[in-house]
Amino acid sequence: MIHSFFIFDRHCNCIYSREYTNGDAINKTNDSDTAKLLFGILYSLKNISGKLAHTNDDSGFAPSNNTLKSFTLGTYRAHYLESMTGLKFILVSDTHIDNLQPVLWELYSTHYLKNVVHNGLSPVEFLAENDPYSKISNHNFIVQSDAYIQSLPVYR
Amino acid sequence: MSSTAGPGSGTTSSSEEAPDILDTQSYVNAASLQFLLQELVPTSIRVSHKLADTNTLLSLADKDETSTIDKPLSSIPNDLPGTVNVLDLAALDQDDVSLRVEAYGYTLGLKLAELLLYKNTRFAGTGGPGSKIVDILDIMKFVCRDVWKCLYNKQMDNLRTNHRGTFVLVDNNYKLISSLSSPKGIHDTVSKAKVHLWFPCGIIRGILKSFGVDGNVTAEITQFPVVTFNIYTSINN
């Protein structure tokens, strides 16, 4: 079962957050603290994963075989994908779902690119919080990504 | 947009000649071109804004500035690279913004007609696929077929006329605006997309002009992304 979906931009701002409660009801989470804390955990884990890996060079980048993909808690699992440009896609599910990397990739490569990057009316650099353009809020992205996530066999 | 020309058209007739420019240079990155075209309207707004502000115009000459991600593109509030705040300026609906965008299209139309017709006439002489353009309806068909095929790799979906010089051309999914979706809803999407439509209006007017026809071209969005081009000419057909 998938609980929520977050996107962070490369300036560490939460630019999209969506919560999937039981059934079909979908609420936009207004609780930005959750997003910030989640981002904090992932940021730390990502750094640790880079430091744990044995690197031969001093470039500071984690070797590609030791990137963070998910972490598990008692009842939740957070799936993580970071693009080369620093966008971070996160899906929070229950512990029964092992791997959502293809789903995260689909959300990035199809939905984000098509409805945000190709959309001339949507920004690609998101501004500070109180601006109307601080989050992804265009109709096509919301509808299509929701439909995609809800169509997954693991959604419920 | 794609500039793919019909492959293999006329290969039988012109084997000894150099390959046609439209046949050889067919590899244009459609996404890059689309992004470039999306910049037409914001740039036009910035130009109008700058022209209205005489102070910045004077200080423009001797400045050497670096470009960074947090450096505004103009004096418009929050006009940073990668953002779309510039489109919310009241100047969006100003006539000079639209006229500038239309003028870009007009120039393109004039040149494009030359390029496509040169190809057409060459094949017409050799019994190829070229067609004779004799009256105003042929010109409209030329716009619907050849021009739209060259620009968007598709044809217009509908062509209607009242036989008194008015033509209605319909594209059911106009490529330049079909990917637009405003965070503020469909009304905002339509009103911002309308400004972009001055570009194809200019193209069509340029094509007509290259045939010596003076026309008045407007576009309207009936049901997004369906675009209806209304063309008024003084020629009775």
Side-chain angles (χ1 to χ4, degrees):
Chain A
M1 184 174 160
I2 291 171
H3 294 292
S4 48
F5 172 38
F6 297 90
I7 305 176
F8 295 89
D9 69 0
R10 58 202 172 85
H11 309 293
C12 316
N13 298 316
C14 178
I15 53 169
Y16 190 68
S17 68
R18 205 88 168 127
E19 197 164 86
Y20 303 91
T21 47
N22 300 325
D24 289 333
I26 297 159
N27 306 314
K28 219 171 186 174
T29 39
N30 295 317
D31 190 3
S32 61
D33 278 348
T34 314
K36 277 178 193 157
L37 289 168
L38 184 68
F39 182 80
I41 294 173
L42 287 159
Y43 187 79
S44 307
L45 281 173
K46 197 188 93 177
N47 281 354
I48 288 172
S49 79
K51 290 214 169 77
L52 284 177
H54 184 71
T55 46
N56 288 326
D57 58 356
D58 298 326
S59 64
F61 291 106
S64 55
N65 60 357
N66 202 48
T67 51
L68 176 68
K69 285 182 177 154
S70 67
F71 72 92
T72 314
L73 302 168
T75 49
Y76 294 101
R77 181 167 286 162
H79 305 263
Y80 177 81
L81 176 90
E82 182 170 346
S83 74
M84 296 280 278
T85 50
L87 282 164
K88 296 156 185 77
F89 292 79
I90 297 143
L91 278 169
V92 180
S93 72
D94 61 16
T95 53
H96 298 294
I97 305 175
D98 284 331
N99 186 8
L100 285 178
Q101 291 296 313
V103 176
L104 288 167
W105 181 252
E106 178 76 11
L107 285 167
Y108 170 46
S109 63
T110 303
H111 298 273
Y112 183 83
L113 287 188
K114 185 178 148 207
N115 292 320
V116 177
V117 179
H118 281 279
N119 178 356
L121 299 182
S122 168
V124 287
E125 288 285 335
F126 294 85
L127 298 168
E129 261 181 39
N130 40 28
D131 192 88
Y133 293 113
S134 66
K135 288 201 186 312
I136 301 172
S137 48
N138 80 68
H139 184 72
N140 286 2
F141 181 82
I142 295 172
V143 169
Q144 290 177 28
S145 66
D146 276 354
Y148 172 64
I149 288 171
Q150 287 175 314
S151 73
L152 297 170
V154 293
Y155 173 67
R156 279 171 188 272
Chain B
M1 245 189 215
S2 110
S3 64
T4 36
S9 55
T11 41
T12 48
S13 62
S14 58
S15 52
E16 76 283 356
E17 289 176 50
D20 194 291
I21 190 167
L22 283 175
D23 291 330
T24 53
Q25 303 186 346
S26 59
Y27 300 100
V28 171
N29 186 304
S32 301
L33 198 54
Q34 183 88 355
F35 293 147
L36 183 66
L37 290 176
Q38 281 176 357
E39 284 306 307
L40 278 180
V41 171
T43 305
S44 183
I45 294 172
R46 282 179 202 121
V47 170
S48 291
H49 190 78
K50 204 148 218 169
L51 288 174
D53 189 351
T54 46
N55 294 330
T56 56
L57 201 66
L58 291 171
S59 64
L60 200 66
D62 48 359
K63 259 190 187 170
D64 193 11
E65 289 172 333
T66 53
S67 162
T68 56
I69 193 77
D70 48 7
K71 179 173 168 40
L73 295 167
S74 69
S75 55
I76 300 163
N78 276 332
D79 187 19
L80 298 161
T83 64
V84 291
N85 295 56
V86 62
L87 296 174
D88 286 325
L89 205 72
L92 183 69
D93 295 326
Q94 274 175 19
D95 286 343
D96 54 338
V97 172
S98 312
L99 284 173
R100 195 173 291 115
V101 175
E102 208 257 1
Y104 296 146
Y106 181 62
T107 319
L108 195 149
L110 283 174
K111 293 181 179 176
L112 194 62
E114 202 66 61
L115 207 63
L116 291 171
L117 283 171
Y118 140 78
K119 203 175 152 65
N120 233 18
T121 41
R122 197 177 75 163
F123 294 131
T126 54
S131 54
K132 275 219 175 101
I133 293 173
V134 287
D135 64 6
I136 184 96
L137 192 62
D138 290 333
I139 298 174
M140 294 301 161
K141 283 178 182 164
F142 173 73
V143 171
C144 289
R145 284 188 201 137
D146 304 55
V147 176
W148 237 240
K149 186 95 177 127
C150 173
L151 292 171
Y152 305 111
N153 208 14
K154 66 168 280 193
Q155 294 189 7
M156 280 277 191
D157 294 292
N158 201 346
L159 164 63
R160 287 195 298 268
T161 176
N162 68 349
H163 298 287
R164 287 186 195 85
T166 301
F167 296 85
V168 179
L169 277 55
V170 183
D171 189 335
N172 287 339
N173 187 11
Y174 182 55
K175 210 166 187 170
L176 199 57
I177 62 160
S178 62
S179 62
L180 300 181
S181 172
S182 168
K184 293 174 179 170
I186 186 72
H187 289 294
D188 195 53
T189 307
V190 170
S191 66
K192 285 173 181 170
K194 269 181 186 162
V195 188
H196 284 273
L197 292 179
W198 285 108
F199 185 66
C201 285
I203 295 177
I204 295 173
R205 192 168 69 89
I207 302 272
L208 296 182
K209 185 68 191 173
S210 68
F211 285 105
V213 177
D214 280 312
N216 183 8
V217 186
T218 57
E220 54 186 328
I221 301 169
T222 37
Q223 190 182 5
F224 193 85
V226 181
V227 175
T228 309
F229 295 95
N230 297 307
I231 305 170
Y232 305 100
T233 64
S234 53
I235 298 175
N236 277 318
N237 60 304

